[in-house]
Amino acid sequence: MHIRLRDCATRTYFLVDTTARSVCADLDERGAVRRADRPDAALAERALASASDYAEYFARAVPGTRTPDGKFLVRGPLTQAERAALQAGGDVPTERPALHLHLDFFDPDLDGRITLGENYRAWRGLGFSRFGAAVKALFSALFFGWPAIEIERIGARRHAGTGIFDRQGAIDEACRAPYLAQFDAAGGELSFGQVLDLLERHSAEGIVSRAQFRSLFAVCKRQNGNRDVITKSQFNGLFDGSLLWQAASTPNSAGRRARWLQPASDAA
Amino acid sequence: MRVPAVGAPASGTKSPHIPDADALRAEARRLMEPGGEADFTAARDVLLRALTLESPDHDGKTRHLLGLAFFHLQDWAEAERHLAASLRSAKSPSASALLERAQTNRKTGIERAVDPLPDLRPEELRRPPAGAIRAPETSAEEPPLQRRGSLLIRLAHAVFSRTLGLLTEGAVRAVYALRKRNTTFAFESWDRLGTSLGLLELGGRRRDLNGDKLQSTYVGSLVGHQQPGQRRPAWTERFRTATGAWTTDDPMEGAAGTEIQRSGLPLKDRESRLDAPDLPSPREVSRLILAPHANRPRQEVPFLNLLTIAWIQAQAHDWVSHRPSPVPGARKLALEADDPLRSRYGIGALQVPLSPPNPMKDARPLTYLNEVTHWWDASHIYGSDQETQDRLRCGPDGELRIEGDLLPLNQATGIEDTGFARNWWVGLDLMHTLFVKHHNSVCKRLRQEHKRWTSDEVFHTARLINAAIMAKIQTVEWTPAVLPNRKVVAGMATNWWGLIETWRRPFHKRRLNRRWEPRHHVLGGIAAGSRDNFGKPYGLTEEFAEVYRLHAGIPDEIRMPGQVIPTDATRGAGARSMVREFGMAALLDSFGHQHMPALVNNNYPAFMCEMSVPGQPVVDIGAIDILRARERGVPPYNAFRRMLGLNPIERFEDLGCSAETVAALEKLYGKGDKGLNNLDLLAGTSCELWRPENFGFGETLFTIFIQMASRRLHADPFYTEKLNSRYYTETGMALIGKATFKSVLLEHYPQLARAGLDNVENAFEPWGTSAKERPEEHPLALIEAY
């Protein structure tokens, strides 16, 4: 497993390959790491032990989770392109843009392209019916890239939205602030109607943005015991990439979750 | 410690030391009774000093007090010595009673505070649960594939099931919508209908309870706040795990160490009523409503034997247990001036530890962890953690440790070593021993057919089968025995076999999952059907735990041939002594013949109203039962009914109890709405004697039962989609199909047939008579066709 880690105590970033047992670290805090950036043996061993422990129990490097020992925050996987760049001695940023991290959920092979099939399976994993997932996969492909969505280029192709993701896919905190303030004022959760009102007031929302939020509502409703509310942590999870993983890991009433969370070799 | 100075002996007085000994005794009494914070160690030291001054102890008072001090310090041997000496000096009924209790406690070793269960450590519970379970060794032998039929047949069956299912759902909704709503008790509607319509209305009630009346305490996150994206160990698809984790794809759903859930209102609408004003003392409620009346025999149920209460206690230990608090004395219950405990034990208050708080970081108020698995997996036999499970196993054939009829002894606790050994008494010993033996018997059969299987494969498969046999017995035998009412008997059979099978065939000919049976939880049964947790992660609820406080069903004594043994003496180490002395068969025989006390008001066993438990020499279980509901945010009786969609009572007389009981309720809670709204849940359910025909307990309890008895099966993949020969083997399915409580008893103790077991079809009915001789003791014979 290739995994991005951030030390909870020192905030140092590590890129770890648990299979090759290699560790690189951003000790100079320049926001990027290359293959030559090797930490000392003790530090490397510590990061490797935590990452290996994580790899034993997790199917993917899920952003927002912690290693089982609680020492490191997982900041997502390395894409194929990033792995190649690292191998070639190039720079790999320590943090992926929030939007890309969010979209990695739809790209299980991490090749930077979300195919129709991947898109469909991801929507199914979020609990949508076969028909609903097919419609969502088709429409998102029509709006964001046909036949496959290029993750690196999606920022430019996005239509008017909340503005919380900027053109580079990073989070614009100024845009997000009024939403969070509203959550705080309402005791941590808002009804779907209240969120739609907020959208109307604070964003140049279009039909796509509205449809995306309706999908979010459906995901949150299932997680919240069929209540029409969204919590602040779920709203934040939408932007840091953790909400979709949380939703896909929540089984349906038959006790089943997304099949692709189970690696083929581990199937019963 | 303040000890009065002992003056020099005054010359010329009749007994120069007596005034000083009196002063010391007075000081000791003062130390022992200051409203709950008694210092018995100091009192003991003072009295020992008095004893050196006053020799001999003419009237035995010092010795009596010393015996009392040692009793409170749980030094039973010393208590016995001093009390016996006191009685040699002077007769005293209270000293005599205390001596008897000290003797019993010494024999049962009840003071031993070694916890039989491991700690629940938050840091461990936060880790991925796969790390706390051991993968079994498996052989190359593949489990058999399920025969699925052709695609066309499956499609036709799906359409057939769906159509009939929709029609049934429609009928359930319609009958429920047309129910009588203006009756105080809902059963006044369904119990007056015919069996089919009554069943449909009960189905509607269950549907309603599975909707917005199921509350998850983990809303918005995975159970146990586990992290998303974890990989499920493949073997957990085939077997149950020691901790209950990974039974479904939600890693900790139903696992030990997760929060007990809620029925009715969500957590945010709950509050603790520990400090609510105007509530009577739990001890007073216990004295007036739960404790038995002096000089009146306890009521017994004509149609149930003692195995019934032992069975349900063992099952309850499988499902839910709050961890006992390590901090005693957190709550003081002051005793009234006329409380007999004052004079009997020289105390002014009872001390009740509060429930230990949820140790998890960021835990919400009024959430409590279940220390056992929520699943119906026989964790009381197999344990709820890997270490315990491994310790209980032996040999290459998946067997559990047992020698003859004796379970292994846990040297640390001094009692039998088993999955759940709290509250141990001989009734639990019988149930655990029987099903450990049955596990081993299942292992032998599996081993004959699967010679290449590893010990782990045999063990885990036998566990699946053994647990399913218990689930079946509870569903189609225990419950119908306790509630021998036509609709309930048919309803429980429907839960297991389905309505069609229940209608068409007599009890012994019914089978699970026949080929053309519709796959619908009413028509085809919950068992072997589709899994459904109704969108809320499975877990037993606090409300379930509260209404299952069935202590009234525990007897005061076990009647053995030629002698009567106090139940108190069968607790702790006393259980093993009983099994050694009488043997399993004789004990089962006695339990099968003796009637179970009724679950009604003023019917708690007397010994439980002043019982000793580790760390506490005197507790009143009734008072604790009342206090727990208040503490854990379980609403009082009327509010409890409202939150389940039942109508509240409008006056105490609605409960159907005697005028004497109504007067006691009014004295405790006051008259009018205020009194009604303060009525504690257990006080209300105990007094709820206006019940459907032949009901062993009342409607309020029954409503939670409707929700949970079905949910335990419905939410468990091993009782729904995996209850088939792929997971259980053909042998296992046949064993489950044939199993009844009677057949399990006879397999291991065939001599019970002649002892009376042959008189009955349902082994929870009294064995001493047959349906022909005493129909009132066998109401099931008129309802169920065998």
Side-chain angles (χ1 to χ4, degrees), chain B residues 134-395:
Chain B
R134 182 174 57 77
E137 286 177 23
T138 50
S139 64
E141 190 177 323
E142 286 288 318
L145 286 174
Q146 274 297 105
R147 278 175 300 170
R148 300 184 69 191
S150 72
L151 183 65
L152 195 65
I153 289 178
R154 276 188 284 150
L155 193 66
H157 190 249
V159 172
F160 168 69
S161 295
R162 185 86 179 135
T163 310
L164 286 183
L166 283 173
L167 289 171
T168 310
E169 290 293 324
V172 165
R173 285 183 196 213
V175 173
Y176 189 63
L178 294 171
R179 72 190 185 281
K180 278 174 77 174
R181 292 163 194 260
N182 56 356
T183 56
T184 303
F185 288 92
F187 75 84
E188 292 171 43
S189 174
W190 64 259
D191 200 30
R192 290 175 188 186
L193 298 173
T195 305
S196 304
L197 286 177
L199 258 184
L200 289 175
E201 189 178 322
L202 283 175
R205 172 73 57 189
R206 182 174 69 183
R207 194 177 168 282
D208 180 50
L209 291 166
N210 284 336
D212 61 358
K213 294 180 180 71
L214 272 177
Q215 306 293 345
S216 169
T217 63
Y218 291 115
V219 173
S221 73
L222 295 175
V223 172
H225 303 293
Q226 279 292 315
Q227 302 195 88
Q230 292 181 48
R231 184 191 295 125
R232 179 174 184 169
W235 67 271
T236 63
E237 288 280 4
R238 184 177 168 197
F239 299 128
R240 290 189 184 279
T241 62
T243 62
W246 284 115
T247 300
T248 71
D249 284 354
D250 195 337
M252 287 284 273
E253 184 174 7
T258 58
E259 287 169 8
I260 299 171
Q261 302 296 296
R262 289 288 177 173
S263 299
L265 296 171
L267 209 51
K268 66 182 175 63
D269 297 329
R270 309 290 186 133
E271 58 178 9
S272 167
R273 292 184 304 125
L274 269 183
D275 299 311
D278 303 330
L279 291 182
S281 157
R283 166 66 186 165
E284 284 305 293
V285 178
S286 172
R287 281 179 70 196
L288 289 182
I289 302 298
L290 304 179
H293 292 298
N295 307 321
R296 279 193 228 169
R298 288 174 68 197
Q299 285 186 57
E300 293 187 337
V301 188
F303 50 81
L304 292 175
N305 63 29
L306 267 195
L307 292 167
T308 316
I309 197 70
W311 171 276
I312 195 59
Q313 192 185 12
Q315 293 298 303
H317 289 165
D318 175 1
W319 302 324
V320 63
S321 173
H322 292 79
R323 200 165 186 78
S325 178
V327 192
R331 195 85 191 171
K332 270 184 282 182
L333 301 181
L335 301 177
E336 293 289 315
D338 66 339
D339 194 316
L341 294 187
R342 275 185 175 273
S343 56
R344 221 169 278 163
Y345 297 97
I347 49 173
L350 283 176
Q351 301 198 32
V352 181
L354 293 180
S355 307
N358 186 340
M360 305 300 285
K361 196 181 154 200
D362 303 330
R364 291 193 289 171
L366 299 178
T367 57
Y368 303 93
L369 298 186
N370 188 358
E371 61 176 344
V372 299
T373 73
H374 296 257
W375 302 111
W376 208 344
D377 57 359
S379 59
H380 60 302
I381 303 280
Y382 300 99
S384 289
D385 65 286
Q386 192 67 57
E387 190 189 328
T388 301
Q389 186 178 99
D390 290 345
R391 192 180 68 237
L392 296 172
R393 287 180 55 185
C394 67

Side-chain angles (χ1 to χ4, degrees), chain B residues 160 164 168 493-494 497-505 510-511 514 516-520 522-525:
Chain B
F160 168 69
L164 286 183
T168 310
T494 298
W497 290 295
L499 190 60
I500 297 174
E501 191 74 359
T502 301
W503 267 339
R504 290 184 59 198
R505 293 186 169 82
R510 292 173 193 154
R511 296 285 173 269
R514 288 193 191 268
W516 275 104
E517 196 172 76
R519 204 171 166 81
H520 181 266
V522 173
L523 299 172

Side-chain angles (χ1 to χ4, degrees), chain B residues 47-84:
Chain B
L47 288 163
L48 284 173
R49 221 170 141 194
L51 208 58
T52 60
L53 297 175
E54 179 198 34
S55 188
D57 178 20
H58 294 295
D59 51 6
K61 280 182 185 168
T62 308
R63 294 277 190 179
H64 186 171
L65 279 176
L66 251 177
L68 196 56
F70 276 112
F71 187 91
H72 282 289
L73 293 169
Q74 305 210 38
D75 186 342
W76 316 121
E78 280 299 294
E80 266 183 81
R81 192 165 72 82
H82 290 292
L83 288 165

